Amino acid sequence: MTDSSRRQVTLDEVAERAGVSRSAASRVINNAPHVSKAKREAVQRAVVDLGYVPNATARALATQQVGAVVLAISSDNPQVFADPFFAEVVVGVNAVLEETELELMLLLATSTRGQTRLEQLLRTRQADGVMLMSMHGDDPSAALADNADVPVVFGGCPVNFEPRYYVDADNRGGARLATEHLVAAGRTRIATITGRMDEGAGTARYKGYQEALAVAGLDARRVVHGDFSEDGGSRAMEELLAKHPDLDGVFIASDQMAIGALRVLKDAGKTVPGDVAIVGFNDITSARHTEPPLTTVSQPIQSLGREMARMLLSLIAGEVPTPLILPTRLIQRASA
């Protein structure tokens, strides 16, 4: 067999032979910093043994690395990193980055200064890559990110466009599951508390609710818009009860909002699920400890973080990954 017809050895094969992660192998091959001596020697031996020839494009990108990636949250809530959802995302991202020599930086693009910092990161190589979450419909960073000078992965799809590289959950399908469960339980006056309607998850979950009720032939006009926060769920539940005191089921677009809604229902003398059945979304840890325990839609939150990090590492290594949609499933507990 001639050299021209021999199959090209892949980076994955080098990493497997060396017993290291793919990203670590890439950093060694491209002489990037922050790689241990043992890993460097193992990869170098594997390269020689297998006859690996680096991809020129990947080499050009990797040699510019600075050793850090950014998880940026575009939110107007300064307490966002205390939200159990984002805390689990960070755990997932960190689990992948621990296998590399890359540092994780967190950026909350809340203030004008934070937004400016994010835009600088997207326009320059002050980080090796950026993961963006919680993009709002009017956020200028969303469009800028898709044509940035650094690799960018979106966590969730923005409202106004579909980015090239993103990881998301099946929000629409999960919301259908939640609403169908309420229908199957015999509820006929089913309301919803949506998430933010300038975020992709908020609009997708609202559409799933509408679709399920349309199929069931039920009214889908018992709607109050929330903001994914516990206090927002309380306010929305108060408004729902004032407008629709006869409601007998509510799909709530996040567990945090559902926790606030449960408190309002209790104060109003409503039993759950006797008077009103409740289904949330996300399956955060505290959903198991509400009174009653919350029926909810589970999305793999830590997996969302892990897959975002893996996709970003692929981009840094010069690859072209495809978008990924993670499955959701209904977790039935006592609230519905």
Side-chain angles (χ1 to χ4, degrees):
M1 182 181 292
T2 65
D3 288 342
S4 61
S5 62
R6 185 180 298 126
R7 183 183 68 81
Q8 185 173 1
V9 176
T10 68
L11 182 59
D12 286 320
E13 290 171 316
V14 172
E16 183 177 1
R17 174 67 70 90
V20 301
S21 68
R22 191 183 193 288
S23 58
S26 175
R27 293 178 69 79
V28 171
I29 289 167
N30 291 289
N31 200 30
H34 310 299
V35 182
S36 68
K37 180 179 179 181
K39 288 183 179 179
R40 191 176 296 277
E41 291 176 349
V43 172
Q44 289 169 342
R45 285 196 300 271
V47 166
V48 173
D49 292 346
L50 297 173
Y52 175 75
V53 178
N55 176 276
T57 302
R59 176 185 288 276
L61 181 60
T63 53
Q64 300 177 43
Q65 289 184 337
V66 296
V69 296
V70 174
L71 174 61
I73 311 294
S74 181
S75 172
D76 53 11
N77 177 10
Q79 302 298 318
V80 67
F81 284 120
D83 186 317
F85 175 86
F86 289 109
E88 290 197 45
V89 169
V90 172
V91 169
V93 169
N94 192 62
V96 172
L97 295 183
E98 280 184 341
E99 300 175 3
T100 75
E101 306 300 325
L102 291 168
E103 298 292 333
L104 174 63
M105 298 188 295
L106 302 178
L107 173 63
L108 181 57
T110 302
S111 63
T112 301
R113 182 177 180 181
Q115 192 69 34
T116 300
R117 174 63 173 153
L118 174 57
E119 292 179 5
Q120 288 175 343
L121 284 169
L122 295 172
R123 288 194 173 102
T124 65
R125 287 200 167 273
Q126 297 177 40
D128 296 319
V130 178
M131 292 164 282
L132 281 177
M133 297 195 73
S134 200
M135 291 284 102
H136 304 307
D138 58 352
D139 194 325
S141 301
L144 175 63
D146 216 34
N147 296 290
D149 292 330
V150 295
V152 175
V153 171
F154 283 76
C157 278
V159 172
N160 296 329
F161 78 103
E162 182 175 327
R164 287 175 292 176
Y165 309 113
Y166 67 89
V167 180
D168 204 354
D170 183 11
N171 291 293
R172 194 165 176 169
R176 282 198 305 269
L177 283 175
T179 310
E180 287 167 355
H181 178 72
L182 291 169
V183 172
R187 309 296 165 142
T188 58
R189 300 179 298 280
I190 301 171
T192 188
I193 297 174
T194 77
R196 292 185 59 140
M197 297 304 287
D198 61 350
E199 292 185 21
T203 58
R205 292 174 194 178
Y206 180 41
K207 288 176 182 176
Y209 160 82
Q210 291 177 307
E211 289 169 354
L213 289 192
V215 170
L218 296 175
D219 185 359
R221 292 176 293 181
R222 295 178 177 88
V223 179
V224 172
H225 299 301
D227 60 4
F228 288 125
S229 74
E230 185 173 333
D231 287 344
S234 296
R235 291 190 296 269
M237 193 70 245
E238 289 172 349
E239 184 176 344
L240 270 181
L241 287 175
K243 291 181 176 179
H244 308 285
D246 65 337
L247 62 83
D248 61 4
V250 189
F251 163 57
I252 304 178
S254 80
D255 292 346
Q256 284 290 94
M257 291 195 297
I259 290 170
L262 284 170
R263 184 171 59 247
V264 169
L265 287 168
K266 181 179 179 181
D267 291 344
K270 299 281 189 178
T271 61
V272 177
D275 295 324
V276 183
I278 299 291
V279 181
F281 202 112
N282 284 335
D283 194 27
I284 60 176
T285 300
S286 53
R288 303 164 198 158
H289 306 296
T290 56
E291 183 55 45
L294 186 63
T295 295
T296 186
V297 175
S298 173
Q299 63 167 318
I301 305 175
Q302 288 191 24
S303 292
L304 179 68
R306 286 194 296 269
E307 295 302 333
M308 285 170 57
R310 287 172 182 150
M311 186 174 290
L312 187 63
L313 292 177
S314 294
L315 286 169
I316 292 170
E319 299 179 351
V320 183
T322 57
L324 180 63
I325 303 293
L326 301 175
T328 52
R329 62 192 180 96
L330 185 75
I331 305 296
Q332 187 170 354
R333 300 193 181 101
S335 71

